[in-house]
Amino acid sequence: MTLELVPARELAFQLYDVLGVEALCQRPPFAEHSRATFDAALETAQRLADDLFRPHNRKADLEEPRIENGKVRLVPEVKAALAAFAEAGFFAAHRHESLGGMQLPWTVAQACATHFHAANVATFSYAFLTIAAANLLEVFAADDLKRLYLKPMAEGRFFGTMALSEPQAGSSLADIRTRATPTPEGFFRIEGGKMWISAGEHELSENIVHLVLARIQGAPAGIKGISLFLVPRFRPDGAFNDVRLAGLNHKMGWRGTVNTVLKLGESGDCRGWLVGPANQGLACMFHMMNEARIVIGLSAAAMAMAGYRLSLDYAKNRPQGRAPDAKDPAQPQMPIIGHTDVKRMLLAQKAAAEGALALGLYCARLVDEQKTAEDESERRDAGLLLDILTPIMKAWSSELGLKANDQAIQIHGGYGYTRDYPVEQLYRDNRLNPIHEGTNGIQSIDLLGRKAVMADGAALKLLLAEFRATAKAAHADLPDYALALGEAIDRIETVTLRLLAGREAHGGPLFLANAWAYLEMLGHTTMAWIWLTQALAARPYADEFGKGKLQACRYVFAWELPKTKALADLLASLDSTTLDMHEAWF
Amino acid sequence: MTLELVPARELAFQLYDVLGVEALCQRPPFAEHSRATFDAALETAQRLADDLFRPHNRKADLEEPRIENGKVRLVPEVKAALAAFAEAGFFAAHRHESLGGMQLPWTVAQACATHFHAANVATFSYAFLTIAAANLLEVFAADDLKRLYLKPMAEGRFFGTMALSEPQAGSSLADIRTRATPTPEGFFRIEGGKMWISAGEHELSENIVHLVLARIQGAPAGIKGISLFLVPRFRPDGAFNDVRLAGLNHKMGWRGTVNTVLKLGESGDCRGWLVGPANQGLACMFHMMNEARIVIGLSAAAMAMAGYRLSLDYAKNRPQGRAPDAKDPAQPQMPIIGHTDVKRMLLAQKAAAEGALALGLYCARLVDEQKTAEDESERRDAGLLLDILTPIMKAWSSELGLKANDQAIQIHGGYGYTRDYPVEQLYRDNRLNPIHEGTNGIQSIDLLGRKAVMADGAALKLLLAEFRATAKAAHADLPDYALALGEAIDRIETVTLRLLAGREAHGGPLFLANAWAYLEMLGHTTMAWIWLTQALAARPYADEFGKGKLQACRYVFAWELPKTKALADLLASLDSTTLDMHEAWF
């Protein structure tokens, strides 16, 4: 049997025991569903991922996309895998049946997606970019655009991209220069260059739908003058739309995903159609970006899970050394899983992978709540929780996921450092996640500078209330963890007030100077909380699965959560070390 | 001017201000030297590294060694660089003039080496392996072997290897199977296979001198039956010695260093000559290994320095975004070094790179003390300090160095993730350092299980006394740091006693269960100490260099040292989470 990269039991535990996803079937959009239909989708996803995505993961890494006769050439397995993905209906897993969708909850669709992230993120990225782009069009596009593009995207016939970055505007989208000139016909003439566009050009789909940020002539400077346009590779009449491939980027990982430099309108004939209101393109794009940030976090979690599972398997089968109290060389060597430090690295990976997975699915559940909860206040609360958890999920999951893959290599020793074992590629692939969709440094500033303080701290208060509710629920059975989590929550409250007082007294730059430490403190605490929810949900299971959950929770509370104390001290001291550092002193 | 990867001023500061290396010139072996000759060697090394090693670093990464007509083929620049290195006398930088050496102190030779590690570790590895192998031969080989091999190695005509690992014996050298059969002629017939042998086969040198671990027939099982042999590629009469290349390994990084699988004596005609006493091969090999562990740590430090310098340069020149309190989009963007979180990542890199460099050169200075100090007790103390600092230097420097390269990529954003910028390669190259020459997990067990407790804790006591002396010296000018360091030393003492009491009560496995946390605690504290020595040495400099040293020291005491509190709590609790974890619970 193939080694499961994301165990079916793990997903079932998260969905049914932790998140109670079955309850969603009582809501109208999901009324046709049951645990049986959810399980069928999960099984299909796992089989597809194992059969058609996983086998060419290494091949697509080795044989990078290249340009041949002006066309992007990929290994043929990519197209075959994505065709099967479309055939199985996964491009529209969560979409309404009027678009050929399965109407699955987003939570279940995201659980299905973890199999593909773990098996082959580079091939899967063509699909998840398309799904994210379609989600944006569904919310913001005019009906005629939806008619032309949404259905073929839901069917996997058209693929999508996010075309934001330009050479001078990566993190700073305010500085985008691509121009859009209105025409009497209703469309805009687009002219400019885009950089780092994943899936920007290929022959995998009938068409490519670029979502392009550009400035309409005369628009205000900065982010208030950016609009969003749909720019297809081919127009509805089949004509080429003057989106030219200017070159490919060659990355450390994600090599199977073609990464492009695009020229729009070099021949003066690139047409774009406005999506959403003029000059509000960034807000529209953030709809896609926020979703992408959760997806990035889940992708990092799935890759962490893959590395964990692979290194666990290796540790069980690789004999090397003997126990500290049994050094007789006449005895056979023991599998390295017997070494305590190897168990430490496995526990750390388990904590990271299953913790980040749990948090990502919790976020996906919030998306379902936001859309389908009966009560308006529940929908609003879900939105607030999502707001504050998004930077944590994106940044903390990608930090933990990369570290987990590092440990997976370490367990493999010299073998893990070769290109013969998949953990090496996971480490390279996962290295992108702290960078794209807003670097983790930007996430930390988003967390402290916006999300923690917005609406008088409403989102943070709600999150800490969730944490406290879990601590309270654990009070009887797991009192030590309940206490430790309670103290960590107190620290966050105290530190946040102190920082706000510091902002009053000393201004914004000092307030944000240690945003990274704030992210770390929130990240560790959020992980401890999500692990406590898992430990509580695992109580019915007296088997090895349940014991493993409890032990991983113990690991997080013993090894990880205590780190928040030093972070809180640093933050409370309003330390200005980084702020005071002069450029010339480096 | 070329960007300095390891600034000359930094090395001068470490050598002259921190370590007082000039004082060594009063000792007989170095009597011909002065600061002027040291500086000349350093300048030559930097120029050679910049002119002949650095330019092909990427090319050798892209065009990996391959086998052509049975021979290993490398890019030609490798041979040219090593020939120039030999020509300049660096193969014998520290060796006696009777061997054509410059008789430089080991500290100065290692400072020179940092330029090569930073410029191109893969090409330089051919040289440093040769130097390490020659050092071993100088101590343990019989005179006739020295006559045949040492001089040509000192001249860079013969290269050397360490041939320890076998497929079933990587970390567990007790399980080596390569056999050695004595012959009446005095040599041994060697038969077996070796794995992961860096520089194991190439056409760069007239001969290759393999230092091979093997078992003499009838030797005891385990490490007590391992002997060390010199196995040349070509015998003194020029005959091929039946060392056959069985294949190449393909690694994530260090791609320019050919990594081989070797078959010894497949045709029954591989001759080896015993080095050191029979059955004491591991002890002899550890002479080389301990040196290699310091070198690995210095290599990781030099690569961290290269990444730091490159990302600093990028941060000064890449405009992106605006200050939090100056968001006017009509104003030009500012260089990203203006962002506080970028400064944090630069400070962290500076702390890691310059701290690890300082520690590595301090260790090299101890080697000089061990060899040339007048007083026997000084020589013994230097040896004890080296014993306990070796696992810290190897493991902590490689952990910090890799993290620093990770931050160098992060500062470059999407560009850093491409293969167009050198930080990507540094990150892949540096990933080997936590693995080879004993994984970092093994270093942590060596530290706690042997070095901290040997001779009734003599080495640890000596180290902590050094720390205390620095804290005392800082008492007047830098009282906060002196106090914080003193508290960290107290924690180490308390925790070590607690662990020893735990060992009495509960045995070895629990004692060693959290060796990793012990390494982290010692690592952070050692870094804080070495930074305090730098801050003290920087007092005469009121310029930007001196201010930078003080600010990096402040960073270490604010952000890093406080982490030792949670680690000490974990250790003092004799936490058994990792030990209690069952294989089946994963």
Side-chain angles (χ1 to χ4, degrees):
Chain A
M1 201 187 112
T2 319
L3 178 78
E4 283 186 286
L5 294 183
V6 182
R9 172 145 189 204
E10 177 65 28
L11 288 177
F13 173 72
Q14 299 292 349
L15 291 175
Y16 306 124
D17 295 307
V18 179
L19 296 174
V21 165
E22 273 175 287
L24 288 174
C25 301
Q26 288 154 20
R27 297 185 185 167
F30 313 123
E32 305 284 307
H33 281 292
S34 64
R35 175 157 178 172
T37 60
F38 293 165
D39 284 344
L42 289 161
E43 280 164 32
T44 305
Q46 188 171 25
R47 202 185 59 244
L48 254 183
D50 275 342
D51 292 351
L52 288 168
F53 284 72
R54 195 163 156 189
H56 72 280
N57 190 38
R58 171 63 59 164
K59 185 180 175 188
D61 180 70
L62 291 172
E63 300 176 25
E64 269 182 299
R66 60 181 194 280
I67 302 174
E68 239 175 43
N69 301 323
K71 292 196 169 173
V72 170
R73 197 173 138 58
L74 308 173
V75 298
E77 290 88 344
V78 176
K79 190 163 194 164
L82 291 164
F85 186 89
E87 180 66 27
F90 281 116
F91 273 98
H94 69 296
R95 236 171 268 292
H96 196 266
E97 62 171 344
S98 63
L99 285 163
M102 297 191 223
Q103 285 189 216
L104 281 171
W106 184 242
T107 317
V108 177
Q110 287 304 299
C112 291
T114 60
H115 290 301
F116 300 100
H117 286 295
N120 187 333
V121 71
T123 295
F124 184 45
S125 69
Y126 296 98
F128 73 65
L129 281 166
T130 300
I131 293 165
N135 286 349
L136 184 154
L137 292 178
E138 188 158 22
V139 176
F140 295 107
D143 284 343
D144 56 335
L145 285 181
K146 280 194 205 173
R147 255 194 313 278
L148 286 167
Y149 296 100
L150 194 54
K151 188 113 195 286
M153 290 172 86
E155 291 167 359
R157 294 193 293 111
F158 290 8
F159 285 5
T161 78
M162 300 172 72
L164 289 69
S165 298
E166 301 175 7
Q168 81 295 343
S171 295
S172 180
L173 294 173
D175 293 271
I176 277 174
R177 288 186 201 145
T178 295
R179 290 177 303 279
T181 313
T183 69
E185 293 92 335
F187 61 81
F188 288 71
R189 289 206 186 279
I190 308 291
E191 216 187 319
K194 292 288 175 180
M195 181 88 178
W196 307 121
I197 310 309
S198 286
E201 173 91 351
H202 52 72
E203 306 300 321
L204 297 169
S205 54
E206 297 169 26
N207 204 351
I208 302 176
V209 179
H210 302 288
L211 295 179
V212 173
L213 292 183
R215 289 186 184 287
I216 299 174
Q217 274 193 325
I223 55 170
K224 289 175 185 159
I226 296 174
S227 303
L228 178 63
F229 296 89
L230 187 158
V231 178
R233 184 188 187 197
F234 299 112
R235 295 178 202 153
D237 64 1
F240 177 66
N241 194 34
D242 197 13
V243 178
R244 275 174 217 283
L245 179 64
L248 302 183
N249 297 307
H250 296 284
K251 294 186 172 183
M252 178 195 289
W254 280 52
R255 295 191 189 179
T257 306
V258 62
N259 191 276
T260 60
V261 183
L262 298 177
K263 294 269 185 210
L264 310 176
E266 224 177 10
S267 309
D269 194 25
C270 177
R271 299 181 183 181
W273 285 266
L274 189 65
V275 175
N279 296 335
Q280 293 186 32
L282 213 57
C284 300
M285 191 50 106
F286 259 94
H287 186 270
M288 181 168 178
M289 185 101 87
N290 280 326
E291 177 189 322
R293 286 175 176 177
I294 303 287
V295 170
I296 292 301
L298 263 169
S299 183
M303 283 191 255
M305 186 73 86
Y308 163 54
R309 300 281 303 163
L310 290 162
S311 60
L312 173 60
D313 186 60
Y314 184 87
K316 286 177 177 173
N317 291 294
R318 165 75 174 166
Q320 198 67 190
R322 291 163 189 84
D325 50 0
K327 285 289 192 191
D328 179 4
Q331 295 300 312
Q333 301 192 63
M334 72 175 181
I336 60 170
I337 197 169
H339 296 297
T340 311
D341 197 59
V342 172
K343 287 202 277 190
R344 174 187 64 81
M345 291 189 280
L346 288 169
L347 266 171
Q349 286 179 75
K350 182 178 168 72
E354 297 176 8
L357 177 71
L359 185 64
L361 292 176
Y362 178 88
C363 290
R365 182 77 159 83
L366 290 175
V367 173
D368 283 320
E369 287 302 305
Q370 198 182 19
K371 284 183 184 161
T372 68
E374 256 187 56
D375 196 73
E376 203 226 304
S377 74
E378 284 175 340
R379 293 199 297 275
R380 192 203 54 215
D381 284 358
L384 280 171
L385 284 171
L386 256 183
D387 281 339
I388 193 162
L389 281 173
T390 297
I392 298 173
M393 181 62 200
K394 193 279 180 182
W396 203 239
S397 175
S398 59
E399 294 288 321
L400 293 180
L402 184 64
K403 180 67 195 165
N405 286 161
D406 179 73
Q407 290 168 322
I409 289 178
Q410 194 68 14
I411 287 174
H412 282 74
Y415 292 94
Y417 191 65
T418 67
R419 311 207 292 282
D420 301 328
Y421 284 76
V423 287
E424 181 266 346
Q425 185 184 343
L426 283 169
Y427 182 62
R428 284 187 290 105
D429 286 347
N430 223 345
R431 182 62 189 84
L432 182 58
N433 288 324
I435 297 172
H436 62 171
E437 308 303 340
T439 67
N440 284 358
I442 288 173
Q443 302 301 320
S444 74
I445 291 166
D446 180 51
L447 174 64
L448 176 58
R450 290 188 60 234
K451 303 302 177 56
V453 297
M454 66 185 196
D456 201 19
L460 180 64
K461 281 175 195 157
L462 211 51
L463 183 67
L464 297 185
E466 287 291 307
F467 291 3
R468 283 213 195 277
T470 303
K472 195 174 168 196
H475 185 66
D477 289 4
L478 301 164
D480 291 352
Y481 302 157
L483 186 68
L485 180 59
E487 288 170 358
I489 301 164
D490 292 344
R491 276 193 288 276
I492 293 171
E493 285 178 342
T494 308
V495 162
T496 307
L497 288 173
R498 177 89 182 92
L499 287 172
L500 287 169
R503 184 169 66 173
E504 281 294 302
H506 310 287
L510 181 63
F511 175 66
L512 287 179
N514 302 322
W516 184 260
Y518 194 80
L519 169 70
E520 286 198 33
M521 181 177 66
L522 269 281
H524 283 302
T525 308
T526 304
M527 277 294 134
W529 160 68
I530 206 85
W531 267 104
L532 196 50
T533 67
Q534 293 188 74
L536 291 172
R539 278 178 301 183
Y541 302 111
D543 64 353
E544 288 161 343
F545 179 91
K547 286 177 183 156
K549 284 288 176 196
L550 271 178
Q551 194 71 1
C553 183
R554 184 177 159 195
Y555 169 84
V556 169
F557 277 82
W559 285 74
E560 304 292 347
L561 184 63
K563 293 176 183 171
T564 55
K565 291 178 205 166
L567 293 162
D569 289 347
L570 174 78
L571 287 158
S573 75
L574 303 181
D575 183 83
S576 62
T577 307
T578 55
L579 193 66
D580 296 345
M581 184 70 185
H582 287 205
E583 177 180 334
W585 298 355
F586 282 111
Chain B
M1 200 186 114
T2 320
L3 178 78
E4 283 187 287
L5 295 183
V6 183
R9 172 146 189 204
E10 177 65 29
L11 288 176
F13 173 73
Q14 298 292 348
L15 291 175
Y16 306 123
D17 294 307
V18 179
L19 295 173
V21 166
E22 272 176 287
L24 288 173
C25 301
Q26 286 154 23
R27 295 184 187 168
F30 312 122
E32 305 284 307
H33 281 292
S34 63
R35 176 158 177 171
T37 61
F38 294 164
D39 284 345
L42 289 161
E43 279 164 31
T44 306
Q46 187 171 25
R47 201 186 58 240
L48 256 183
D50 275 343
D51 291 352
L52 288 167
F53 284 71
R54 194 164 157 188
H56 72 280
N57 190 39
R58 172 61 60 163
K59 184 179 177 189
D61 179 72
L62 291 172
E63 300 176 25
E64 269 183 300
R66 60 182 195 279
I67 302 174
E68 237 175 44
N69 302 322
K71 293 197 169 172
V72 170
R73 197 172 140 56
L74 309 173
V75 298
E77 290 87 345
V78 177
K79 191 163 191 164
L82 291 164
F85 186 88
E87 181 66 28
F90 281 117
F91 274 97
H94 69 296
R95 235 172 269 293
H96 196 266
E97 62 170 346
S98 63
L99 285 162
M102 295 191 225
Q103 287 190 212
L104 281 173
W106 185 242
T107 317
V108 177
Q110 288 304 299
C112 291
T114 59
H115 290 302
F116 300 101
H117 286 295
N120 185 334
V121 72
T123 294
F124 183 46
S125 70
Y126 296 97
F128 74 66
L129 282 166
T130 300
I131 293 165
N135 286 349
L136 184 154
L137 292 177
E138 187 158 23
V139 177
F140 295 107
D143 285 344
D144 56 335
L145 285 181
K146 280 194 204 171
R147 254 191 316 276
L148 286 167
Y149 297 99
L150 194 53
K151 188 112 197 281
M153 289 171 87
E155 292 167 359
R157 294 192 294 112
F158 290 8
F159 284 4
T161 79
M162 302 172 71
L164 289 68
S165 297
E166 301 175 7
Q168 82 294 343
S171 294
S172 181
L173 294 173
D175 292 84
I176 276 173
R177 287 186 199 143
T178 295
R179 288 177 304 280
T181 313
T183 69
E185 292 93 334
F187 61 80
F188 288 72
R189 286 204 188 281
I190 308 291
E191 217 186 317
K194 291 289 173 181
M195 181 91 179
W196 306 123
I197 311 308
S198 286
E201 173 92 349
H202 53 72
E203 307 299 322
L204 297 169
S205 55
E206 297 169 26
N207 205 352
I208 301 175
V209 179
H210 302 288
L211 296 179
V212 173
L213 291 183
R215 287 184 185 289
I216 299 174
Q217 275 194 325
I223 55 169
K224 288 173 186 161
I226 295 173
S227 302
L228 177 63
F229 296 90
L230 185 159
V231 178
R233 183 187 189 198
F234 299 112
R235 295 177 202 154
D237 64 2
F240 178 65
N241 193 34
D242 197 12
V243 178
R244 274 175 218 281
L245 179 65
L248 302 183
N249 297 308
H250 296 283
K251 294 186 172 182
M252 178 196 290
W254 280 51
R255 294 192 187 176
T257 306
V258 62
N259 191 276
T260 60
V261 183
L262 298 177
K263 294 271 184 210
L264 310 176
E266 224 178 7
S267 309
D269 195 24
C270 177
R271 299 180 183 181
W273 285 266
L274 189 65
V275 175
N279 296 334
Q280 292 186 31
L282 213 56
C284 299
M285 192 49 107
F286 259 94
H287 185 271
M288 182 168 175
M289 186 102 85
N290 280 327
E291 178 188 321
R293 286 174 177 177
I294 302 288
V295 170
I296 292 301
L298 264 168
S299 184
M303 283 191 257
M305 186 73 86
Y308 163 54
R309 300 279 303 165
L310 290 162
S311 60
L312 172 60
D313 186 59
Y314 184 86
K316 286 177 179 172
N317 291 294
R318 165 75 174 164
Q320 197 70 189
R322 291 165 187 85
D325 49 2
K327 288 287 193 193
D328 177 5
Q331 294 302 311
Q333 300 193 61
M334 71 175 178
I336 61 171
I337 198 168
H339 297 297
T340 311
D341 197 59
V342 172
K343 287 201 276 188
R344 175 187 64 82
M345 292 189 279
L346 288 169
L347 266 172
Q349 287 180 75
K350 182 178 169 72
E354 296 176 8
L357 177 71
L359 185 64
L361 293 176
Y362 179 87
C363 290
R365 182 75 159 83
L366 290 174
V367 173
D368 284 320
E369 286 302 304
Q370 197 182 20
K371 284 184 183 160
T372 69
E374 254 187 57
D375 194 69
E376 204 227 303
S377 73
E378 284 176 340
R379 295 198 297 274
R380 193 203 54 216
D381 284 358
L384 280 170
L385 284 171
L386 256 183
D387 281 339
I388 193 161
L389 282 174
T390 297
I392 297 173
M393 181 61 201
K394 194 277 181 184
W396 203 240
S397 174
S398 60
E399 294 287 322
L400 294 181
L402 184 63
K403 181 67 195 164
N405 287 161
D406 178 74
Q407 290 167 321
I409 289 178
Q410 195 67 16
I411 288 173
H412 282 73
Y415 292 94
Y417 191 66
T418 67
R419 310 207 294 284
D420 301 327
Y421 283 76
V423 288
E424 182 267 346
Q425 184 183 344
L426 284 168
Y427 182 64
R428 284 188 289 105
D429 286 347
N430 223 345
R431 182 62 189 85
L432 182 58
N433 288 323
I435 297 173
H436 63 170
E437 309 302 341
T439 65
N440 284 358
I442 287 174
Q443 303 301 321
S444 75
I445 291 165
D446 180 51
L447 174 64
L448 177 59
R450 292 187 61 234
K451 303 302 178 54
V453 297
M454 68 185 194
D456 202 21
L460 180 63
K461 282 174 196 159
L462 213 51
L463 183 67
L464 297 186
E466 288 289 309
F467 290 3
R468 283 216 195 276
T470 302
K472 196 174 165 195
H475 185 67
D477 289 4
L478 301 163
D480 292 352
Y481 302 157
L483 185 69
L485 180 59
E487 288 170 357
I489 300 165
D490 292 345
R491 277 194 288 276
I492 293 172
E493 285 179 340
T494 308
V495 162
T496 307
L497 289 172
R498 178 89 182 94
L499 287 172
L500 287 168
R503 183 168 68 173
E504 281 294 302
H506 311 286
L510 180 63
F511 175 65
L512 287 178
N514 302 324
W516 184 261
Y518 194 81
L519 169 70
E520 286 197 33
M521 180 176 66
L522 268 281
H524 283 302
T525 309
T526 304
M527 276 296 135
W529 160 67
I530 206 83
W531 267 104
L532 196 49
T533 67
Q534 293 188 74
L536 291 173
R539 278 178 301 183
Y541 302 111
D543 63 354
E544 287 160 347
F545 180 91
K547 285 177 185 155
K549 285 287 176 195
L550 272 179
Q551 194 72 358
C553 183
R554 183 177 161 195
Y555 169 84
V556 169
F557 277 82
W559 284 74
E560 304 292 346
L561 185 62
K563 294 177 182 171
T564 56
K565 290 178 204 164
L567 292 162
D569 289 346
L570 174 78
L571 286 158
S573 75
L574 302 181
D575 182 81
S576 63
T577 306
T578 55
L579 193 66
D580 296 345
M581 183 70 184
H582 288 205
E583 178 180 335
W585 297 354
F586 282 111

